[in-house]
Each structure stands twice: as structure tokens, then as C-alpha cells.
């Protein structure tokens, strides 16, 4: 997704946006996206691990093909219920997402060749994170009209 597309969706997203699928509210969804951008920029660290065969296969399928995120897929380690909101408002969550996206690009500009840990796929490079984030943004920003 381009920055312009992201901005257009964020501008139109509000607390009353109609949910098309999933359990998240607009703010929960933005806060979820913020966490993944912070993971990718190393701001949130999780233990390194070697992905198993199934995880490697899914990584190849998701990052190496045109496959979209399946509806209903659950992020590893998340509880069944929605997490408590961290920010006071949707407007603040939008700003925090913008900042997290900027930090992601900045991190890899200053650390070229670095790889950071994804909770399902293990170490990802900037280029792999770019594919992941593009599909992840399309999936979640598409949850609402």
C-alpha cells in the first residue's frame, strides 16, 4: 500500500466505521498494526527462534506469492479476547501508527542488511517485512468500510 492509500483510509476511519470481519474495533486494529511495525523495527523484541518446517512453508507462501492474509487468521501469542486499549483515542492511535511506520523505514535505513524477528517466521529482512506489512495493512485496513 502506498502512503497515500494508507492516509486516505486513516482519514476515513472512525469509531463508527462498519466492521466487515473480525472482532477488532478500529482502534484495536490500529494498535495491533503498531505492534507489528514496532516488532519489525526492533522496538519490541521477542526471543529469536528457528522457524519449523510448517512456519517456513507458510512464510514462503505468504511472502513469496500473491496470497493474501486469510480472514480469521490469529497472530501467534494473542489471547482470544481483545487486548486492552493502550491509547486514549483513535486519533492518537492513528498518529502512533504513522510514527511506527516512519520508525520502521528509518531503522532499516540506518541498519541496512539487519533482520528482525517476526513471531511466526523468525528473522525477516527489510524487503521481507515490506511484503509482510503491505499484506498485513491491506488485510486489517480492509476490515472496515
Amino acid at each position: 500500500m502506498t502512503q497515500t492509500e494508507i492516509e486516505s483510509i486513516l482519514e476515513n476511519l472512525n469509531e463508527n466505521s462498519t466492521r466487515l470481519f473480525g472482532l477488532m474495533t478500529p482502534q484495536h486494529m490500529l494498535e495491533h498494526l503498531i505492534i507489528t511495525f514496532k516488532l519489525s523495527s526492533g522496538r519490541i523484541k521477542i526471543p529469536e527462534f528457528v522457524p519449523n518446517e510448517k512456519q517456513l512453508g507458510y512464510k514462503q507462501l505468504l511472502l513469496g506469492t500473491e496470497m493474501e492474509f486469510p480472514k480469521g487468521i490469529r497472530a501467534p501469542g494473542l489471547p482470544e479476547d481483545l487486548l486492552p486499549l493502550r491509547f486514549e483515542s483513535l486519533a492518537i492511535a492513528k498518529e502512533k501508527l504513522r510514527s511506527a511506520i516512519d520508525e520502521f523505514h528509518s531503522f532499516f535505513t540506518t541498519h541496512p542488511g539487519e533482520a528482525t524477528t517476526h513471531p511466526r517466521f523468525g528473522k525477516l529482512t527489510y524487503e521481507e517485512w515490506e511484503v509482510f506489512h503491505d499484506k498485513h495493512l491491506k488485510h486489517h485496513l480492509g476490515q472496515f468500510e
Side-chain angles (χ1 to χ4, degrees):
M1 295 188 88
T2 67
Q3 189 64 33
T4 303
E5 290 170 319
I6 294 168
E7 282 301 322
S8 175
I9 292 169
L10 290 179
E11 283 180 32
N12 292 309
L13 185 69
N14 63 62
E15 290 87 354
N16 299 316
S17 292
T18 303
R19 181 178 33 221
L20 301 175
F21 65 91
L23 299 175
M24 293 184 197
T25 66
Q27 187 169 336
H28 281 99
M29 179 267 298
L30 293 181
E31 292 190 15
H32 170 73
L33 291 172
I34 292 164
I35 290 169
T36 60
F37 275 98
K38 286 185 174 190
L39 280 167
S40 65
S41 64
R43 292 273 318 278
I44 296 175
K45 300 214 183 281
I46 58 173
E48 292 183 23
F49 68 97
V50 176
N52 62 37
E53 219 172 286
K54 183 178 177 182
Q55 290 166 319
L56 288 173
Y58 188 60
K59 173 184 173 181
Q60 178 57 38
L61 189 61
L62 186 65
L63 302 183
T65 70
E66 297 299 315
M67 179 184 140
E68 296 179 1
F69 267 73
K71 288 179 176 58
I73 191 167
R74 296 198 50 80
L78 287 183
E80 291 290 321
D81 296 327
L82 293 174
L83 294 171
L85 293 172
R86 297 183 64 212
F87 303 113
E88 294 176 14
S89 69
L90 182 63
I92 292 171
K94 288 178 183 183
E95 286 307 311
K96 295 290 187 180
L97 177 60
R98 290 178 181 106
S99 294
I101 293 170
D102 290 343
E103 288 173 359
F104 162 70
H105 293 294
S106 179
F107 174 82
F108 283 100
T109 298
T110 57
H111 300 88
E114 185 78 24
T116 55
T117 305
H118 181 281
R120 181 171 279 151
F121 303 142
K123 291 285 195 176
L124 296 184
T125 64
Y126 175 72
E127 291 77 15
E128 291 170 322
W129 274 114
E130 280 272 271
V131 173
F132 174 83
H133 283 312
D134 184 64
K135 290 183 177 193
H136 197 225
L137 282 164
K138 285 177 184 170
H139 174 77
H140 283 296
L141 295 177
Q143 281 184 269
F144 299 92
E145 282 186 348

